[in-house]
Amino acid sequence: MRFPRRPRPPRRPRRPRPPRLLAAVLLAPLLAGCFASSGGDGGAGSAAAEGSRLRVALAFPPAENLSPHGADATILSRLGVTEGLTTLDANGAAAPALAASWRRVDDRTWLFTLREAAFQDGTEVTPTAVAASLTHATEARPVPAALSGVTLTAKAEGDTGVRVTAAAPDPVLPLRLSSPGLAVLAPKAYGKEGAVDPVGTGTGPFALTEVTGATAARLDRFDDYWGGRAQASGVEVRFIADGTARANALRTGQVDLAEAIPVAQAATLDAGTRRETATTRTTSLLLNARSGVFKDPALRAAARAAVDASALAEGVYEGHADAGAGLYGPAVTWAAGKRVPPAGRAAAGSPGGAPLTLATYDNRPELPEAAQVLKQQLEKAGFQVKLEVREYSRLESDALAGKFDAFLGARNSLLDTGDPVSLLASDFTCDGGYNLALLCDRGVDRAVAAAQTVADAGERQDAALAAEAAILGTDAVVPLVHQRVITGVGAEVSGVLLDPYERTLVGAGTRR
């Protein structure tokens, strides 16, 4: 699908900024710098002075026409197209974005005060527009992962306020609203029957102007961005699912940035162009607990016992990953000392030659290789394994529909909300919107529901790990490795935003 390029809207007169809002805008570059930047010095080169266009290679083509309510939401946030009311700071706490501040009214209600900002179509970011955008997100189907098990209503209040109310107490609501899936778009973005068009309707430093199917996209600088004029004049995006091709594109100078460099290609890049980031991403084996061979807990236990995660970390990932310790990786520093051992696991049964289909995707090139190793390990334990590998956008719907017995995938545990409990609700409860294991267990649902009510940060972490233990006790998910992501960064590029949540990549300060 190809969207026509839209003309840049004329600049609108700006009303004088009150001192409070001016201070918030001046603070924006500091917030953008919370995450590690990388690249050359980028200081005085003529290319930087002229605002050269950045060339970026992304691993995952759009799977849902770049809808902000699904898996494509992170594409938009990583390219600096969309923003929410809040964002995550380097410590994983909620920080200002389109909302300059907020306060808790009661245990279900928060009042957010908007900063002065504009949509990329030239219209103002108003409380009415923000409330309508959030309402569209709550009505999206499937529901955005950040809203799994949560019901929100949003209403405009006065000239600058948005009142957001949860149906049940939600102590992490500001954190939840940082999700890329709850980005705020202009009213014209929303069409009939739930269609959402992000072209020219975001609020970030770069406006999406053209999309060429699942192969490319073009972004232009949005000069009225509230956080200041971006240093690059635009971004040329290529979606390259093949990891070797992404590395080659960087090495030959065809692109300036390439995400998700395969570990097998890391050594082929100059040391100065490799950036390795510890993330909250965990690669797991998800077993279909609803139907087929792994509906039997004893056979799930047999599969879990057959897996040797250390062989994957040392072999397939060549030391660029750690053996799986749970759903939360080493980047979630508080988890290591609080983890609760799984309880109530079934005894392993005999596979007896039971056939199964193991599916994975090749956008992350380590996954097919890891799947081959898992296939050998499972077959050694007595299963008959058929391996199916596709590009992710052609795989997700079938996985969610339960068409595979096992699914090998990499999931950033804090991507959707930054809240450890929200991941559990979306991925492992009966009503979860991204439940690839198709798990529906009353004990798990009770543990997750209990964790969702806890407000104190430390106690919420404890409750999350108790729920994690309940989930692992079902053997519907087997954590394998915790990844360290390698990003290729051209020698002349600076200001790249690398963060453990993998929500950002290109920002206002990214340039070459």
Side-chain angles (χ1 to χ4, degrees), residues 402-499:
K403 294 185 178 181
F404 309 117
D405 299 295
F407 183 86
L408 175 63
R411 179 83 158 109
N412 192 316
S413 59
L414 299 184
L415 172 67
D416 295 319
T417 64
D419 170 37
V421 179
S422 297
L423 165 84
L424 308 183
S426 68
D427 288 23
F428 300 107
T429 63
C430 296
D431 295 328
Y434 196 65
N435 188 348
L436 291 168
L438 301 170
L439 178 65
C440 188
D441 181 275
R442 291 183 179 179
V444 167
D445 277 19
R446 284 195 297 268
V448 173
Q452 288 177 314
T453 66
V454 179
D456 177 79
E459 293 177 2
R460 192 175 182 87
Q461 293 167 2
D462 294 338
L465 291 177
E468 178 198 54
I471 292 165
L472 295 177
T474 70
D475 284 327
V477 55
V478 183
L480 300 173
V481 295
H482 304 296
Q483 260 180 281
R484 297 193 290 274
V485 171
I486 302 171
T487 305
V489 181
E492 296 181 352
V493 177
S494 65
V496 181
L497 304 177
L498 304 176
D499 72 275

Side-chain angles (χ1 to χ4, degrees), residues 1 3 6 65-69 76 81-82 119-121 123 129 132-134 136-137 183-203 208:
M1 182 175 182
F3 295 95
R6 299 184 177 182
N65 295 320
L66 285 176
S67 167
H69 298 148
L76 299 172
V81 174
T82 57
F119 291 111
Q120 293 157 355
D121 64 357
T123 60
S133 184
L134 292 176
H136 282 292
V184 174
L185 274 69
K188 68 185 297 182
Y190 303 98
K192 297 179 180 179
E193 299 180 358
V196 186
D197 184 359
V199 176
T201 57
T203 60
L208 184 64

Side-chain angles (χ1 to χ4, degrees), residues 362-425:
D362 55 10
N363 305 76
R364 296 187 182 278
E366 297 84 9
L367 293 181
E369 186 178 350
Q372 287 286 357
V373 175
L374 289 174
K375 180 177 184 291
Q376 295 170 9
Q377 293 178 350
L378 291 169
E379 288 177 338
K380 185 177 180 180
F383 292 97
Q384 295 182 39
V385 183
K386 175 186 174 183
L387 184 59
E388 186 158 343
V389 180
R390 303 180 197 167
E391 194 273 326
Y392 183 81
S393 64
R394 298 175 50 243
L395 190 71
E396 182 189 79
S397 60
D398 282 350
L400 289 169
K403 294 185 178 181
F404 309 117
D405 299 295
F407 183 86
L408 175 63
R411 179 83 158 109
N412 192 316
S413 59
L414 299 184
L415 172 67
D416 295 319
T417 64
D419 170 37
V421 179
S422 297
L423 165 84
L424 308 183

Side-chain angles (χ1 to χ4, degrees), residues 90-440:
N91 297 315
L98 290 176
S101 62
W102 53 88
R103 64 180 177 86
R104 189 170 187 173
V105 177
D106 55 43
D107 62 352
R108 297 190 303 114
T109 305
W110 297 74
L111 182 62
F112 294 83
T113 300
L114 301 181
R115 68 173 74 253
E116 183 184 3
F119 291 111
Q120 293 157 355
D121 64 357
T123 60
E124 295 279 354
V125 175
T126 64
T128 299
V130 171
S133 184
L134 292 176
T135 299
H136 282 292
T138 66
E139 296 171 347
R141 295 295 178 269
V143 66
L147 295 181
S148 180
V150 176
T151 301
L152 298 182
T153 58
K155 295 183 179 180
E157 184 161 311
D159 294 334
T160 61
V162 177
R163 181 179 290 263
V164 182
T165 302
D170 189 3
V172 295
L173 195 147
L175 204 62
R176 189 180 307 282
L177 292 177
S178 73
S179 170
L182 300 181
V184 174
L185 274 69
K188 68 185 297 182
Y190 303 98
K192 297 179 180 179
E193 299 180 358
V196 186
D197 184 359
V199 176
T201 57
T203 60
F206 295 102
L208 184 64
T209 57
E210 186 176 329
V211 180
T212 306
T215 61
R218 179 182 177 88
L219 289 71
D220 287 344
R221 177 168 53 207
F222 175 45
D223 288 338
D224 274 349
Y225 177 53
W226 64 265
R229 188 172 181 263
Q231 297 191 29
S233 60
V235 185
E236 301 294 336
V237 183
R238 294 168 57 189
F239 299 105
I240 305 176
D242 183 81
T244 300
R246 287 195 303 278
N248 287 338
L250 180 76
R251 189 166 47 247
T252 58
Q254 298 176 53
V255 300
D256 304 305
L257 292 174
E259 70 170 359
I261 297 295
V263 294
Q265 294 293 318
T268 69
L269 301 179
D270 292 338
T273 63
R274 297 195 305 265
R275 303 290 183 274
E276 186 167 317
T277 309
T279 72
T280 57
R281 179 171 296 279
T282 299
T283 297
S284 300
L285 178 64
L286 296 139
L287 305 178
N288 182 346
R290 186 176 70 186
S291 61
V293 61
F294 290 125
K295 185 176 182 180
D296 183 350
L299 292 185
R300 295 201 300 269
R304 184 252 308 159
V307 170
D308 179 6
S310 63
L312 298 174
E314 297 168 6
V316 175
Y317 289 87
E318 300 180 12
H320 294 281
D322 304 298
L327 299 176
Y328 309 107
V332 186
T333 54
W334 51 262
K338 295 186 173 187
R339 186 159 279 120
V340 180
R345 279 175 163 162
S350 174
L356 65 93
T357 300
L358 168 61
T360 193
Y361 47 97
D362 55 10
N363 305 76
R364 296 187 182 278
E366 297 84 9
L367 293 181
E369 186 178 350
Q372 287 286 357
V373 175
L374 289 174
K375 180 177 184 291
Q376 295 170 9
Q377 293 178 350
L378 291 169
E379 288 177 338
K380 185 177 180 180
F383 292 97
Q384 295 182 39
V385 183
K386 175 186 174 183
L387 184 59
E388 186 158 343
V389 180
R390 303 180 197 167
E391 194 273 326
Y392 183 81
S393 64
R394 298 175 50 243
L395 190 71
E396 182 189 79
S397 60
D398 282 350
L400 289 169
K403 294 185 178 181
F404 309 117
D405 299 295
F407 183 86
L408 175 63
R411 179 83 158 109
N412 192 316
S413 59
L414 299 184
L415 172 67
D416 295 319
T417 64
D419 170 37
V421 179
S422 297
L423 165 84
L424 308 183
S426 68
D427 288 23
F428 300 107
T429 63
C430 296
D431 295 328
Y434 196 65
N435 188 348
L436 291 168
L438 301 170
L439 178 65
C440 188

